[in-house]
Amino acid sequence: DAKTTQPTSMDCAEGRAANLPCNHSTISGNEYVYWYRQIHSQGPQYIIHGLKNNETNEMASLIITEDRKSSTLILPHATLRDTAVYYCIVRGGFMYSGGGADGLTFGKGTHLIIQP
Amino acid sequence: GAVVSQHPSRVICKSGTSVKIECRSLDFQATTMFWYRQFPKQSLMLMATSNEGSKATYEQGVEKDKFLINHASLTLSTLTVTSAHPEDSSFYICSARWWDTSYNEQFFGPGTRLTVL
């Protein structure tokens, strides 16, 4: 799996957009970028994933650079409940995992703190 | 949709006893479930992959005889920590993969906090 690099921590004011960067310079052509977050003492929550096009859902937007070596997760209007550790994970999609699903490798992630 | 539950949420046991943790996919069928462990201030570490109807695959360094995994149905996997010791105290989290997605999307349970005295 491609290695990812994220800042250790970030602050963001409540109501503003939170932009979380992730570098994945060794990503291969069939690997997706996944984002999960973990609120303290809870299980991780899936946020979004993408291959090469920008993606948006009800939680966030994912912007992937054209060379796919980095991406940014955007929480458009951060709230205090968005305070969590955010994990950027690069992984093959199911169809590229030999037909079987593989466990996720979590790095240290970014601790996002939303300030009131 | 895609809800995963775990039971119990918290358990305290004496050293030497065994503890069973259940992981259920409530509204979908999960052909594959995963078990993770998280120590304080650390990230999640994959322990094992569980496929319905077959033996679990354990990650390197995880003792299969100590952490027994059973995945007897498409909605239930269990992790039994046998002869638990204080060093097994941790946050155990399961996840389940929705069988009909073409992506490696996993849905996580809320976790079980195990404390071994």
Side-chain angles (χ1 to χ4, degrees):
Chain A
D1 300 334
K3 179 180 168 60
T4 62
T5 304
Q6 299 178 252
T8 302
S9 65
M10 292 181 63
D11 287 351
C12 178
E14 188 178 17
R16 305 296 291 266
N19 297 277
L20 291 89
C22 179
N23 286 321
H24 32 77
S25 58
T26 60
I27 191 170
S28 62
N30 61 358
E31 288 184 313
Y32 288 75
V33 180
Y34 297 83
W35 282 84
Y36 287 80
R37 73 179 182 184
Q38 185 179 25
I39 295 170
H40 183 63
S41 293
Q42 296 183 24
Q45 177 187 21
Y46 164 82
I47 301 173
I48 199 168
H49 74 273
L51 183 62
K52 54 184 177 181
N53 297 321
N54 297 339
E55 302 287 344
T56 296
N57 62 22
E58 65 278 5
M59 288 184 67
S61 295
L62 174 60
I63 308 298
I64 302 174
T65 58
E66 193 168 343
D67 62 8
R68 302 208 324 124
K69 292 185 177 182
S70 66
S71 61
T72 301
L73 178 75
I74 301 172
L75 306 179
H77 305 287
T79 70
L80 298 178
R81 289 176 294 180
D82 291 321
T83 292
V85 178
Y86 287 76
Y87 298 99
C88 168
I89 299 171
V90 171
R91 194 71 181 180
F94 173 66
M95 63 180 69
Y96 298 111
S97 299
D102 300 316
L104 297 174
T105 301
F106 288 82
K108 296 186 184 301
T110 296
H111 187 192
L112 175 66
I113 300 171
I114 306 302
Q115 305 281 4
Chain B
V3 177
V4 176
S5 70
Q6 279 184 244
H7 178 79
S9 58
R10 187 180 295 266
V11 57
I12 300 173
C13 69
K14 293 182 179 180
S15 185
T17 61
S18 295
V19 174
K20 180 185 283 190
I21 302 170
E22 292 186 349
C23 176
R24 294 181 184 274
S25 56
L26 298 184
D27 52 2
F28 66 100
Q29 293 184 321
T31 52
T32 304
M33 289 184 170
F34 304 89
W35 288 95
Y36 296 81
R37 179 168 56 181
Q38 185 174 35
F39 292 107
K41 298 190 185 303
Q42 295 187 21
S43 193
L44 283 80
M45 294 292 292
L46 178 67
M47 298 176 65
T49 301
S50 167
N51 291 298
E52 185 264 337
S54 62
K55 290 184 178 180
T57 302
Y58 292 81
E59 295 298 301
Q60 192 171 10
V62 177
E63 300 175 54
K64 62 180 182 180
D65 294 330
K66 181 170 183 61
F67 299 98
L68 302 179
I69 292 172
N70 183 279
H71 191 167
S73 77
L74 287 172
T75 59
L76 174 64
S77 176
T78 60
L79 168 69
T80 301
V81 183
T82 62
S83 186
H85 291 284
E87 58 266 30
D88 298 322
S89 297
S90 187
F91 191 46
Y92 291 86
I93 307 166
C94 71
S95 73
R97 190 188 162 281
W98 199 340
W99 71 275
D100 65 350
T101 67
S102 58
Y103 304 106
N104 209 342
E105 188 175 328
Q106 296 180 24
F107 299 93
F108 287 81
T112 296
R113 178 80 57 190
L114 170 64
T115 303
V116 185
L117 303 176

